[in-house]
Amino acid sequence: MAGLKKRSVNLAGHATSLALEPEFWAVLERAATRDGASLAALIQRIDNARGERPLASACRVFALSQAASGSP
């Protein structure tokens, strides 16, 4: 697995940096495209549902659930 790739996203009006492996970014991008949403909108939905889990962890769990469900 390659190193972390850091991106900035705007969540609820605040710039947030998020570092994930490229493989996780690829799954998130495909999920956003499939849903007709921007990557930032998808991450905002993940953020809203994450509870106490760190955002990067919540994004990884979301990506794993997409892979487990066979979502493209």
Side-chain angles (χ1 to χ4, degrees), residues 3-28:
L4 296 176
K5 182 175 181 183
K6 187 178 273 191
R7 293 190 184 183
S8 293
V9 293
N10 195 344
L11 300 178
H14 297 92
T16 302
S17 288
L18 186 60
L20 298 171
E21 294 77 6
E23 295 84 355
F24 287 110
W25 283 118
V27 173
L28 294 175

Side-chain angles (χ1 to χ4, degrees), residues 27-45:
V27 173
L28 294 175
E29 289 167 351
R30 284 193 303 268
T33 299
R34 181 195 67 233
D35 293 349
S38 68
L39 182 60
L42 175 65
I43 294 172
Q44 181 68 65
R45 288 197 319 252

